[in-house]
Amino acid sequence: MTASAGDVASTKPYLVRAIYEWCSDQGFTPYLAVSVNDETRVPPAHVRNGEIVLNISPLATHQLVISNEDVRFSARFSGVVENLKVPICQIVAIYAKETGHGMAFDVSKPLGLVTDPQGQGPEDEDPPPTAPSGLVGVESSPAQKLKAVRSGKASGKPSLRRVK
């Protein structure tokens, strides 16, 4: 029995686990960039512009679990143990602190940050943070981007590329 396109699980949790494992194997510190929403359980005092970057290395976390639905672990913030829960859909990137190599993902913006029809966002919105160099972007249509890269007709937009 084969699964239909609607039944296929997202590749995102598998990619997050793979980059985490790669960072660990290389002796790098895996960082998780997260877009915070109501379902994200993180210390609010450490959230900046609706985002937080978390060190998820074995030395910084306890009972880390990266499931297909979320990332859960406990960690100390200012000496206080916090239990964190990050939905997979809210992960913006996972990357090595030392090199910036990793993977970035599309994350839909919270309703308060959606731009209006004339393309104007909220007046107090800060510019989006720039991803560390070396991240590979995952667009909403990766097959089209990969095809453009292979044909040499890639636009100036981010595209998929091989990570060695």
Side-chain angles (χ1 to χ4, degrees):
M1 181 174 162
T2 59
S4 67
D7 295 338
V8 175
S10 170
T11 58
K12 190 172 182 178
Y14 299 91
L15 296 169
V16 169
R17 285 190 291 266
I19 298 296
Y20 173 83
E21 187 174 326
W22 172 81
C23 285
S24 297
D25 288 351
Q26 300 302 313
F28 296 146
T29 309
Y31 272 20
L32 201 63
V34 177
S35 177
V36 177
N37 69 3
D38 292 338
E39 295 178 19
T40 309
R41 195 170 59 222
V42 296
H46 298 276
V47 175
R48 299 287 180 260
N49 299 322
E51 293 188 351
I52 189 169
V53 177
L54 302 166
N55 175 349
I56 59 169
S57 71
L59 294 175
T61 63
H62 181 65
Q63 296 180 331
L64 174 70
V65 175
I66 304 174
S67 74
N68 287 352
E69 291 78 33
D70 54 36
V71 176
R72 293 180 311 273
F73 61 95
S74 59
R76 290 187 178 273
F77 289 83
S78 303
V80 178
V81 175
E82 301 270 356
N83 292 316
L84 288 81
K85 178 184 169 196
V86 175
I88 290 289
C89 63
Q90 294 305 117
I91 296 174
V92 175
I94 181 168
Y95 59 94
K97 171 190 169 190
E98 294 79 2
T99 64
H101 291 178
M103 189 166 285
F105 304 96
D106 283 340
V107 173
S108 59
K109 291 182 179 181
L111 293 177
L113 297 178
V114 175
T115 57
D116 68 23
Q118 284 128 7
Q120 301 296 318
E123 290 181 25
D124 62 344
E125 183 180 331
D126 291 331
T130 57
S133 63
L135 289 183
V136 176
V138 177
E139 298 294 321
S140 56
S141 57
Q144 292 174 341
K145 291 292 183 181
L146 186 57
K147 187 182 284 184
V149 169
R150 285 183 179 161
S151 68
K153 297 180 182 176
S155 66
K157 295 180 181 178
S159 61
L160 294 176
R161 59 187 165 105
R162 269 180 224 234
V163 177
K164 294 183 180 183

